[in-house]
Amino acid sequence: MARSFYSHRVELIPREFITQEGNVYSKTARVTLLDEQNHEITVLSLGVPNLNTVYDAIGNGAPVNLNECYVKGFSLTACRRLQLLDKTATLPIVGFIAKESFFVSPISLDFTNADFTGDYTHFEGATFVSPELNFHGSRFSNGGVNMSNMYVKVGKFNMVGCDAQQGNVTFKNTIFDSGAKDFQDFNFGSGVVEFTNTEFGNGDVSFINTRYNSSDVSFKVARFGIGKVDFHFAKFGSGTVSFERTEFGTGRVDFRTVEFGQGKTSFNRCSFGDGEVTFDGADAIKGKITFNRSQFGLGSLSFEQFHGAAAQLIFEKVTFPGDVNFSSAVLESLLLPNCQLNGKLNLQVDICQN
């Protein structure tokens, strides 16, 4: 779906709704999406499930299909209460799909401490409207999770401490509205991790201490808005890492003490705003980290104490408006062909063969 809108209104109609898969609901939700001038963008027709029936299915170990549904107030805490479980107990969900669904809540949409054990968990094309969307501590045990083409209109998006284990994780083409996005301590497992063309919107974005293991990771053409972007302590592995043509917005960009592993890392043609950009204390076992034709703002760029004794750090056809610092860096190669330096340059590296 991935439709951005300013507000919406809902009309529940006592008319049967049949999904494309043939699932039948006794009520239809007519959801009208509106722009800032209160003009109609589009109208969605969706089925209205009974949440107690959904919670019973989860408790009985049955798969849950919420495709093309309007779901109000979804809460796994309420599901645990119905099943007489502790409110923080891990809740197994054998299969969960909610493609092109519309989730709303006046408080929080609660997917906390779930163990999604199906072959694949789908939220493709889903829309979320709430003060908070919370997946804190959830696992995707057998397959991956598809969160592509979503529209997330929430004040806080929480995937802290999630674990994908195996299978792909994709947020491709997803649009986040303004608000905080927190992926701290997310273990992305061994599958492909994809944030290609993701719109993160305004607000702080945290990937602190995230682990990517052997995965290929793509943030190609992703866009960050106003706010801090923080990858502090993130650990990449042997896969390829791409931030090609990524737009980092106007806030501080923090890659301090990041482990870039053994794969090739590309920041080619990406753009940074006027905030500070820091790679202080980061390291790379080997391989190349490239910034070909990248654009930097007026803020400083620092690789102080960067450690990559077998790694190459390459900037080509880059203009640096602000100060650039390679103090105490350990590198195999530092290459800056056809670059323009308009601020202070600190080349007091500890070790650099080339």
Side-chain angles (χ1 to χ4, degrees):
M1 190 178 293
R3 297 186 183 92
S4 59
F5 56 91
Y6 182 75
S7 63
H8 75 282
R9 62 172 178 260
V10 180
E11 180 184 4
L12 298 182
I13 304 170
R15 184 178 67 210
E16 189 177 79
F17 180 84
I18 304 175
T19 70
Q20 295 182 30
E21 299 168 302
N23 295 327
V24 181
Y25 297 94
S26 60
K27 292 182 181 180
T28 297
R30 180 182 169 89
V31 183
T32 304
L33 307 184
L34 306 167
D35 64 15
E36 289 187 74
Q37 285 72 45
N38 213 36
H39 295 151
E40 181 181 304
I41 299 172
T42 191
V43 178
L44 309 174
S45 291
L46 302 166
V48 183
N50 183 301
L51 278 183
N52 285 336
T53 301
V54 174
Y55 297 155
D56 285 341
I58 292 173
N60 293 328
V64 175
N65 185 334
L66 292 175
N67 291 348
E68 300 176 65
C69 283
Y70 173 79
V71 186
K72 184 175 182 179
F74 185 91
S75 171
L76 289 186
T77 298
C79 181
R80 291 183 184 89
R81 190 180 302 118
L82 189 66
Q83 305 299 328
L84 303 180
L85 298 173
D86 185 87
K87 65 180 181 180
T88 60
T90 299
L91 187 61
I93 302 178
V94 173
F96 192 98
I97 54 175
K99 299 179 185 178
E100 302 295 332
S101 53
F102 198 102
F103 289 85
V104 297
S105 174
I107 303 172
S108 174
L109 290 165
D110 174 14
F111 292 87
T112 57
N113 295 314
D115 186 5
F116 295 96
T117 61
D119 292 336
Y120 208 70
T121 303
H122 278 280
F123 290 92
E124 183 179 2
T127 298
F128 299 90
V129 181
S130 180
E132 181 179 33
L133 174 54
N134 193 352
F135 284 86
H136 189 284
S138 288
R139 296 197 302 264
F140 305 93
S141 293
N142 293 339
V145 57
N146 188 339
M147 291 189 166
S148 64
N149 296 292
M150 301 191 313
Y151 182 58
V152 184
K153 191 177 179 64
V154 303
K156 182 178 181 180
F157 179 76
N158 184 345
M159 292 199 86
V160 173
C162 287
D163 189 350
Q165 297 190 1
Q166 57 185 335
N168 299 335
V169 177
T170 177
F171 284 81
K172 184 177 181 179
N173 300 326
T174 284
I175 299 172
F176 290 92
D177 208 312
S178 297
K181 278 70 68 171
D182 196 345
F183 296 86
Q184 184 168 330
D185 297 321
F186 197 132
N187 179 10
F188 283 96
S190 57
V192 173
V193 178
E194 192 170 26
F195 285 87
T196 303
N197 199 41
T198 301
E199 177 70 62
F200 285 95
N202 294 334
D204 294 344
V205 182
S206 174
F207 285 91
I208 294 174
N209 200 41
T210 46
R211 298 174 298 286
Y212 301 90
N213 308 299
S214 59
S215 303
D216 289 336
V217 181
S218 175
F219 282 84
K220 286 183 179 179
V221 206
R223 294 170 297 282
F224 297 89
I226 300 171
K228 182 178 180 180
V229 180
D230 199 340
F231 281 84
H232 196 185
F233 292 128
K235 298 177 179 65
F236 299 96
S238 56
T240 299
V241 180
S242 178
F243 286 90
E244 189 169 337
R245 289 182 290 161
T246 299
E247 298 177 16
F248 281 100
T250 59
R252 174 187 170 103
V253 179
D254 192 340
F255 281 89
R256 287 177 298 155
T257 61
V258 167
E259 297 178 15
F260 285 102
Q262 305 179 57
K264 180 181 178 181
T265 302
S266 170
F267 288 88
N268 296 343
R269 298 179 184 270
C270 71
S271 64
F272 297 89
D274 291 332
E276 178 188 7
V277 180
T278 174
F279 289 80
D280 291 349
D283 67 55
I285 297 173
K286 62 178 182 180
K288 298 179 180 179
I289 301 178
T290 60
F291 291 82
N292 299 338
R293 297 179 182 269
S294 294
Q295 298 177 0
F296 291 90
L298 297 173
S300 62
L301 171 64
S302 180
F303 285 82
E304 186 172 350
Q305 296 184 340
F306 183 92
H307 194 277
Q312 297 181 350
L313 193 56
I314 304 172
F315 298 84
E316 184 173 358
K317 295 183 179 179
V318 176
T319 297
F320 299 96
D323 297 342
V324 184
N325 181 16
F326 296 101
S327 174
S328 303
V330 175
L331 293 161
E332 178 187 278
S333 299
L334 173 58
L335 308 176
L336 296 98
N338 301 305
C339 289
Q340 179 174 317
L341 297 150
N342 296 335
K344 295 179 181 178
L345 172 64
N346 187 333
L347 282 174
Q348 293 179 307
V349 298
D350 276 357
I351 299 173
C352 189
Q353 303 300 324
N354 182 28

